[in-house]
Each structure stands twice: as C-alpha cells, then as structure tokens.
Amino acid sequence: MSEAATAPAARATIGDSEFDRDTAVAQRAPGVYDIDLSAGWTIINAVNGGYLLAVLGRALADALPHPDPFTVSAHYLTASRPGPAVVRTDVARTGRTLSTGQASLFQCDEDGREVERIRVLASYGDLGTLPDDVRTTAKPPAIPPMEQCFGPQDAPAPVPGSSAIADRLMLKLDPATLGWALGSPSGNGEMRAWFGLADGRDHDPFSLLLAVDALPPTAFELGIKGWVPTVELTVHVRCRPAPGPLRVSITTRNLAGGFMEEDAEVWDSADRLVAQSRQLARVRLG
C-alpha cells in the first residue's frame, strides 16, 4: 500500500466540491446543456483541457443510459475561454454493456457566431459491474513520499504556467522531474506527481479525466518553454478509484515535427491502475 497524505480537516464530498459545481451542466433541451466555464481552471489564459473533458463527460453521463466513461477521445479544435458555453450531445448507440455518444462544446465569438471548441466521442458503461480479475505487468510509479515532493505553493515565485488551476489542486511533484523549475531541465520527457483536489474531495471517474491533463507538460523537462496545446486526447478509465491521493506519471518518448505524445498512467491509493491516456500536443519551438 502506498503512502497517503493526512486528510484535510474538512473534506469536500463528491457532489459538494468546487470541481463538481464548476463542471455541472444544466439541461436546456434534450441533448443540449448550458455551462459557465470557470476561470478557476485556467492555465495562463486557456481553460484546462482535462477540466473541459470532465464538463463534456458529465453531459454525456446525463445523455447516455450508462453512468461511467470507459473511453473518451477528444479533439481540441479552438481554445476555450472562461464564460458561457453550450454542450450538444448525440447518442450513437445504446447496448446492454456499453453506450456510445458524441458531444461538442461551443462558445460565441466576438461577432456572436458559435465556434466549436472541442468534440468528443465516448463509450460509457458501469464500472461497478466489471469483474475483479486483473492481469497486468504495469507497476505503480516510484514517487518519493508526499512530504519529500514539491508543489506550486512551495516555490519562491509562481510556477510558470500554473495560474489559477494551481489553487484548486493538491499537486506534489517528484523532485526528479522538477529540473525545469530550477532552470536545469533533465532532458527526460517525464513528469510524476501526487495529485488530488485542494478541497480534499475523493476521486471518481470524472476527476480522473482531469488528472491525466493537470500536470505541467513533459516538454518543460525537455527544455521547452511556453504553452503546449493539446490536439487530441484519449482517456481509458479502468476502475473507480479508492479514496486518497492519486499518483500520476506522464512520459514522452518522441518529439518530432513540432508535435509530441504524452502517455499518462493514474494509480490510486490501493495501487490500482485506474486510468490511462495518450495525447498529441503541439510544441512551439523557438
């Protein structure tokens, strides 16, 4: 069993957390949902991609007969900004074990025209009905105990790129992947951290959609600065996480032509691999 942090004095429960309030969608009509994207989940001026994925994930959970995302593939078309947005969903297929749907998030531009920001195709099921049989060669990442790791609040100055989202996360980065913050990036495309929500809310499948895209980009450890926008992100949710902090490990093996992949693994306090993802991101060199 991995080490876990001491629980906060007052923990938010699922459904009564800032994350839940800020990802909640209001149905306007069948398949149409309104939301006000919160500025609290921005990185510099852009709304975090994992937060957006959780927003669309909640809309699809309402539109589909199954409760839990199993696989979610998102294409980020234009940069989202805080403020009003509308999510439109479409049910592609429903079955006994899985249901599949599509969702798109739109915002109006300065001229009042709707612009599509992100499009998602996802399959949902019920994680609670899956068998317990696990056969894996995957191992949890080796991260030092939380008290030996460092978060944005430990830095003498704001961590580049952290912005508002840092105040809503419990993020403790492995010192071995923090060279970029000290001006000495390792050259390895790796990022590892303990992860949680700042209000102590336990994790569910929707917060896993946030977790895979909430760490600093691995490009920082490659010595690359600046925004690394996501082009495409696919997440596989494997089981409902146990209470307690998560461990997130992200690696990049190939940067070519101005694009790089990031492979993420998310492990819970019971040493279970609860989510995996791969994303393609654009790297702005020079």
Side-chain angles (χ1 to χ4, degrees):
M1 183 72 65
S2 59
E3 289 196 42
T6 301
R11 296 173 61 91
T13 58
I14 293 176
D16 186 32
S17 163
E18 184 176 24
F19 174 74
D20 297 306
R21 294 191 297 271
D22 288 347
T23 58
V25 294
Q27 188 178 48
R28 182 202 307 175
V32 182
Y33 302 84
D34 292 312
I35 185 168
D36 195 45
L37 298 179
S38 170
W41 302 91
T42 54
I43 300 176
I44 307 179
N45 295 316
V47 180
N48 172 261
Y51 164 73
L52 291 171
L53 209 58
V55 168
L56 275 79
R58 288 199 182 282
L60 281 168
D62 184 80
L64 295 172
H66 292 93
D68 301 316
F70 275 32
T71 176
V72 181
S73 294
H75 285 262
Y76 294 80
L77 308 177
T78 55
S80 300
R81 63 178 186 271
V86 61
V87 177
R88 293 190 174 91
T89 63
D90 180 63
V91 177
R93 179 186 179 274
T94 61
R96 181 178 301 175
T97 303
L98 292 173
S99 55
T100 300
Q102 178 176 289
S104 291
L105 183 142
F106 299 85
Q107 289 184 307
C108 290
D109 64 13
E110 294 79 4
D111 298 322
R113 295 173 298 188
E114 272 197 348
V115 178
E116 188 174 6
R117 302 296 193 196
I118 175 174
R119 184 178 298 187
V120 160
L121 183 66
S123 289
Y124 277 53
D126 186 344
L127 291 168
T129 65
L130 297 183
D132 294 330
D133 183 39
V134 176
R135 308 178 195 190
T136 181
T137 60
K139 296 180 180 180
I143 303 178
M146 197 178 296
E147 60 270 17
Q148 297 177 19
C149 296
F150 299 93
Q153 69 278 7
D154 299 313
V159 175
S162 58
S163 294
I165 193 173
D167 295 333
R168 280 142 193 90
L169 302 179
M170 188 291 295
L171 197 62
K172 292 289 186 177
L173 292 158
D174 184 340
T177 67
L178 263 178
W180 58 275
L182 305 174
S184 302
S186 66
N188 299 321
E190 298 179 351
M191 202 67 64
R192 292 183 295 274
W194 295 90
F195 176 85
L197 294 168
D199 59 14
R201 173 200 189 273
D202 282 324
H203 292 284
D204 67 357
F206 299 104
S207 67
L208 296 179
L209 301 181
L210 170 68
V212 299
D213 193 44
L215 272 60
T218 54
F220 287 1
E221 270 297 87
L222 295 174
I224 298 168
K225 299 179 180 179
W227 189 35
V228 185
T230 302
V231 177
E232 185 271 344
L233 171 61
T234 294
V235 185
H236 295 163
V237 178
R238 310 307 301 272
C239 62
R240 293 174 184 161
L246 303 172
R247 285 157 294 163
V248 182
S249 173
I250 305 179
T251 59
T252 291
R253 296 187 300 168
N254 189 52
L255 188 161
F259 292 86
M260 57 178 257
E261 93 289 343
E262 285 192 333
D263 291 316
E265 291 185 353
V266 183
W267 295 77
D268 72 0
S269 58
D271 285 342
R272 299 180 304 168
L273 181 59
V274 293
Q276 299 164 274
S277 74
R278 166 167 281 200
Q279 72 169 273
L280 182 69
R282 184 179 178 188
V283 179
R284 303 193 175 180
L285 303 171

